[in-house]
Amino acid sequence: MLEIKNLQKNFGRFSIRNLNLTVENNDYFILLGASGSGKSVLLEMIAGISNPDSGQIILNGKEITRTNIDKRRTGLLFQTPAIFPHLSVRQNIAYPLHNRSRSWISGRIGELAIQMNIQHLLDQKPAVLSGGELQRVALARTLASEPEILLLDEPLSAVDTNLKSDLRKLLRELNQNGLPMLHVTHDFEEAISLATAMAVIENGQINQSGNPETILANPGSSFAAGFAGERNYYPAVIRNNTALLENRKDPAQTAEIRLNDAFSDGPANILIRSRHVVVSIEEPQLSTTNNFHGIIHEITPSREGFEICIRADIEIFARITRDSARKMNLAPGMYVWACFKASSVDVIRGL
């Protein structure tokens, strides 16, 4: 188990502040965060590349906050495989293996090569390998040091799409065989297919943690909402069962969204799932309660058809089918209505 307690690191314009995190022994833990949020810095402190100003890092009951890198039993895999170009695949894997007999080292290299499916590449140099093969070599070398936890910093982002599935399967199997993982990624499918636990880091702090289903259903930040493919996420103030948002057209005014249930007054986050937004070219005669008139700013192809960005009192996104877009002859610059029911508005608090 990995425990991070009150970790702090000041970089001047950015800092890690009172960060707490627990990765259980059976966790495949996914850490989400925008660029510059502190994800990679956290992994580097756990691995010992840099030291925190204060706080504790505890691995399986042993504090390793100031322990030398080679004594930590952590394995760090980077986005770009850190492979020695002048060494063969066999020599790269053997690099962490010391004070063992030649036969033992040879046997261990063979085991890892078979596990990574690179046994046919052992005598090759890195220059002739693909990105996926290089990442397998890097993973084999990391596993050779017998880490107690694997730290993964966007490890699949440089891998061809057709190879990602195989590598995800490999990482999942390693976790299921008892190796805990702390994995940073921006890839939605990657996170959903691998995560057993998840957290969101923002401005150097963990602002939400739990199981993936809860975080993606009730995102506590615009980043987490966007990660799940939802862009209609707004900070608001609730008064008299109405959410008051910043008005894009007139900052001196507010945009109002009617709510279905009774909520106590005060600050909240508002989420409207884009699949619940109806687009109409005529003033709606609908029971949608919330109707915004605005201009189409952008139309972007999506899996379901199109994502429409409409700039009204608020900027709101809708997903519609290709057939609906064709029938309405939608195009940027057109004025349309964006409509949604009060029951489609999620109010998110206290995460």
Side-chain angles (χ1 to χ4, degrees), residues 74-78 80-97 108-109 112-113 116 118 126 133-147 150:
T74 60
L76 176 57
L77 201 64
F78 295 99
T80 302
I83 300 298
F84 299 117
H86 62 291
L87 300 180
S88 68
V89 169
R90 187 189 307 275
Q91 291 167 326
N92 266 281
I93 298 173
Y95 187 80
L97 301 174
R108 182 60 177 150
I109 292 171
L112 290 168
M116 299 296 113
I118 54 172
E133 289 168 341
L134 286 170
Q135 200 61 288
R136 285 174 180 270
V137 175
L139 183 54
R141 189 180 64 189
T142 301
L143 293 175
S145 64
E146 299 182 336
L150 199 56

